[in-house]
Amino acid sequence: MNGPSAETMGDIFTEGIFIDILSRLPAKSLIRFKRVSKGWRSLISDLISDPSFVKLHLQRLKARDLIPSQRIIIGSPCDNLLQTVDYETLDHGSEDPLVVVPHSIEVPCRKPCIVGSCDGLVCLLESGIFLICNPTTREYRELPVSDIPRDYELFCGFGYDPRSDDYKIVEGVVDYGNWENWEVARFSFKSGSWRRIQFPYQELIHQQVSLSGVYWNGALHWYVYDLISDKKSMIMSFDLSEERFHWELPVPEVDVGMTLVGLGIHGASLFIHSGNYGPRMEAWIMDEHGRGGGSWTKWFSIDCTSVNLETGVGNAPLTYTRSGKVVLRVNSDRMILFNPKNNSCKDYPIRRHDPFQHAIYLETLVSPYLGGETSRI
Amino acid sequence: MASSRKITLRSSDGESFEVEEAVAVESQTIKHMIEDDCADNAIPLPNVTSKILAKVIEYCKKHVDASKAEDRVNDEDLKAWDAAFIKVDQVDQATLFDLILAANYLNIKSLLDLTCQTVADMIKGNLFPVRNEWLNFTFSIANRELVLVCLTEWVAHRRLFCS
């Protein structure tokens, strides 16, 4: 092709550049643009419903510093109040109560469990029904139910399979009449259907598995522990591409009296943390190459008495701010920013009454329908 | 390392710039013209004024020098140079938009990324309330160029929108 002529340049590339610029803006900004005029609303709606623009926007977001686009969503199966927290602004000395925004999502479920989050989509579960929502665009979608008989949800998780470019949900369930037999199923967004997965670890039935899986490195991870005997605890993982379970991540050695209780994500790594039943709460980070060759590095150690962190079941680290402070959930009513450099703590009340669950999510434009059926916005 | 052949570039207002081939081929457009043997005499660039072409050449030269073994500049320093190069008081908004158009026409991906990201960063956070008169146009598919112009106006007048 010969070089484009000067007359046609104005029409051809101006649009491409304009879209390029828009693809670099935060999702919330783009959504706000809709309110400017009818023209903008039509342009933005077109872009948001174009899967290739959404993908470009997500790629650009992930290539940058994620922290400005990250939020925490908190909720509890005891009430129908879903809230979002812009935790980075907590670090900027903000006393602004708007930091914790009660986020009303118009969804059919009223008391959901938070299962997990991936690429800005948050997965919720209530009474055996999974709901996917994007808190930024406020789109939601109820998923079809699997046909496995169940009375009890053992574990579940939500993540992305890069090999098939598909989002997947995994759930492990049990039927009271058949307690010795755990069944596992996986839902694929592309196929829109569930399929049974072989679960090789039937010996787990006497151990505790954490309910919500953590998505990391293309797999879902659950912490498995036994509070009664001293069986060694492990991290069970499910590879979303191979659709197989792995039993491969050992946990760090801890001091006597310290109990590891849960997992989370630290940047691009997995972390594991202890509860604060004892005098200290600690956490470790797994390096990115966890498979087989990974090792744990200590992230932080908090002396609970010196920072007034009372013993509690629901205490857990959630994430970290850009300045390196640890964001912690404490009991049911507050968040704490802990500064490991000077061992100081700052409190932020949350105004809830029950222990809450959480997920860290990105503000993206990804649709729960992934460009498939028409979405409800 | 390519021989240091000199290429002449001619801006829309008739000024000639002599640059090393390695610098000129930072532009994929110019690279293809050279490969197609159109570069014996000066390469005309009817869409780029001398003012903008000078800045583009400055950018390309820095990036070519930065990757030479002897003068190896690390990523952090190059990023800092880019930030200084594009800083708003160094480059007024009209120049910034001209640089975007030039980077696009000349197909210099890294410069296009830098300039588009700069505009995105300027827009971010300076949002609403936006008064409709500054964006008072009828949006139509054939008129996307108008949207870019209005965006410039809006970005230039953004101080009016901070309450």
Side-chain angles (χ1 to χ4, degrees):
Chain A
M1 179 189 109
N2 294 329
S5 66
E7 303 89 78
T8 56
M9 283 314 280
D11 291 338
I12 298 171
F13 68 74
T14 305
E15 171 178 335
I17 294 173
F18 186 52
I19 306 282
D20 183 317
I21 293 173
L22 291 182
S23 75
R24 296 165 192 270
L25 290 174
K28 275 240 173 84
S29 305
L30 289 173
I31 291 169
R32 273 189 226 140
F33 265 118
K34 281 165 111 177
R35 297 211 291 268
V36 175
S37 69
K38 272 192 256 187
W40 279 103
R41 187 168 69 221
S42 134
L43 169 67
I44 299 293
S45 298
D46 282 350
L47 289 177
I48 293 182
S49 53
D50 176 357
S52 58
F53 177 79
V54 171
K55 209 171 202 131
L56 173 65
H57 182 267
L58 181 67
Q59 275 166 7
R60 292 219 197 274
L61 207 155
K62 284 167 135 173
R64 298 195 297 260
D65 173 17
L66 291 179
I67 292 183
S69 312
Q70 267 182 209
R71 304 285 182 267
I72 306 175
I73 186 166
I74 58 185
S76 148
C78 306
D79 61 41
N80 61 353
L81 186 62
L82 277 170
Q83 294 172 309
T84 62
V85 179
D86 180 355
Y87 64 89
E88 184 68 26
T89 62
L90 290 178
D91 201 8
H92 299 152
S94 170
E95 300 291 341
D96 191 348
L98 286 181
V99 158
V100 181
V101 175
H103 190 104
S104 57
I105 303 180
E106 300 293 317
V107 292
C109 63
R110 283 170 293 123
K111 296 185 178 184
C113 268
I114 296 182
V115 172
S117 166
C118 184
D119 289 348
L121 294 173
V122 175
C123 180
L124 306 168
L125 172 67
E126 186 189 28
S127 310
I129 301 176
F130 286 98
L131 201 91
I132 302 290
C133 76
N134 181 327
T136 312
T137 61
R138 298 180 175 244
E139 262 192 290
Y140 70 93
R141 173 189 178 188
E142 202 174 292
L143 297 182
V145 185
S146 82
D147 58 3
I148 302 182
R150 89 279 297 285
D151 286 311
Y152 191 70
E153 198 82 35
L154 295 159
F155 57 86
C156 53
F158 169 63
Y160 176 72
D161 168 17
R163 201 188 292 173
S164 54
D165 186 27
D166 193 8
Y167 291 89
K168 295 180 177 170
I169 293 181
V170 173
E171 66 164 354
V173 296
V174 77
D175 178 348
Y176 288 145
N178 199 7
W179 187 264
E180 304 286 305
N181 190 24
W182 290 16
E183 297 265 23
V184 176
R186 154 318 257 132
F187 179 81
S188 139
F189 278 65
K190 266 199 168 143
S191 70
S193 61
W194 291 90
R195 100 172 171 87
R196 271 183 155 89
I197 303 277
Q198 252 230 312
F199 185 62
Y201 308 120
Q202 297 296 342
E203 71 265 25
L204 275 191
I205 56 174
H206 299 298
Q207 291 184 272
Q208 286 278 109
V209 183
S210 54
L211 177 66
S212 301
V214 172
Y215 171 68
W216 174 67
N217 237 2
L220 293 170
H221 300 78
W222 294 269
Y223 180 61
V224 182
Y225 58 105
D226 199 320
L227 289 175
I228 304 169
S229 82
D230 55 6
K231 276 204 199 114
K232 193 120 175 58
S233 53
M234 291 284 241
I235 297 176
M236 172 174 84
S237 65
F238 180 80
D239 184 306
L240 289 170
S241 304
E242 294 167 23
E243 297 197 349
R244 273 182 42 212
F245 281 91
H246 290 279
W247 192 246
E248 59 185 73
L249 293 178
V251 301
E253 294 292 331
V254 294
D255 298 334
V256 170
M258 187 169 294
T259 320
L260 294 169
V261 295
L263 304 171
I265 291 293
H266 179 284
S269 315
L270 185 70
F271 77 79
I272 188 167
H273 70 92
S274 73
N276 61 329
Y277 304 113
R280 307 194 71 85
M281 182 199 274
E282 301 189 329
W284 290 259
I285 307 175
M286 161 68 75
D287 66 49
E288 279 176 56
H289 311 290
R291 291 269 160 80
S295 58
W296 297 97
T297 324
K298 187 165 284 186
W299 173 16
F300 65 81
S301 175
I302 302 181
D303 179 348
C304 301
T305 38
S306 75
V307 298
N308 260 329
L309 198 68
E310 61 266 31
T311 317
V313 172
N315 300 344
L318 304 180
T319 183
Y320 62 95
T321 66
R322 208 191 270 108
S323 67
K325 300 198 183 87
V326 181
V327 181
L328 295 142
R329 169 184 85 207
V330 174
N331 296 327
S332 52
D333 56 3
R334 59 196 208 278
M335 285 196 182
I336 282 185
L337 279 192
F338 170 71
N339 188 343
K341 295 183 193 128
N342 61 14
N343 274 329
S344 64
C345 264
K346 193 135 196 282
D347 265 28
Y348 298 91
I350 297 282
R351 278 193 290 270
R352 295 190 72 100
H353 304 293
D354 303 294
F356 56 84
Q357 303 168 324
H358 77 281
I360 313 288
Y361 73 95
L362 284 175
E363 293 195 321
T364 71
L365 299 168
V366 179
S367 161
Y369 290 87
L370 302 170
E373 328 154 18
T374 28
S375 53
R376 284 168 285 181
I377 299 187
Chain B
M1 187 74 197
S3 62
S4 48
R5 177 154 84 114
K6 298 281 192 194
I7 303 286
T8 307
L9 305 173
R10 187 171 303 126
S11 68
S12 60
D13 45 340
E15 223 182 288
S16 289
F17 295 79
E18 204 180 57
V19 296
E20 287 188 13
E21 184 174 350
V23 173
V25 299
E26 285 283 291
S27 152
Q28 293 295 306
T29 307
I30 294 178
K31 181 166 187 270
H32 292 142
M33 286 184 189
I34 293 177
E35 285 166 357
D36 289 348
D37 244 348
C38 311
D40 288 341
N41 304 314
I43 296 183
L45 300 173
N47 289 1
V48 190
T49 63
S50 53
K51 175 182 174 196
I52 299 300
L53 188 53
K55 284 211 79 75
V56 171
I57 290 172
E58 184 191 345
Y59 176 89
C60 293
K61 193 163 192 315
K62 178 67 183 181
H63 278 246
V64 165
D65 286 348
S67 60
K68 279 200 201 134
E70 317 90 74
D71 300 319
R72 182 137 229 132
V73 172
N74 70 32
D75 282 346
E76 286 296 314
D77 289 342
L78 191 58
K79 270 200 183 129
W81 186 91
D82 281 352
F85 175 78
I86 210 76
K87 214 151 98 79
V88 170
D89 49 301
Q90 296 291 324
V91 172
D92 62 41
Q93 271 117 19
T95 305
L96 179 58
F97 272 84
D98 284 338
L99 277 174
I100 291 180
L101 297 177
N104 187 76
Y105 169 58
L106 294 171
N107 199 345
I108 307 171
K109 185 177 185 313
S110 59
L111 181 59
L112 188 60
D113 276 346
L114 175 66
T115 46
C116 286
Q117 188 62 52
T118 305
V119 174
D121 291 341
M122 283 156 66
I123 294 173
K124 198 166 39 175
N126 288 310
L127 290 172
F128 295 98
V130 170
R131 263 168 276 192
N132 250 345
E133 57 256 27
W134 293 110
L135 287 156
N136 190 19
F137 59 92
T138 307
F139 180 80
S140 75
I141 305 295
N143 258 346
R144 286 195 190 235
E145 204 172 59
L146 192 57
V147 177
L148 191 64
V149 170
C150 288
L151 198 64
T152 318
E153 299 253 359
W154 172 61
V155 166
H157 291 98
R158 69 191 186 281
R159 277 205 206 98
L160 293 175
F161 303 134
C162 298
S163 47

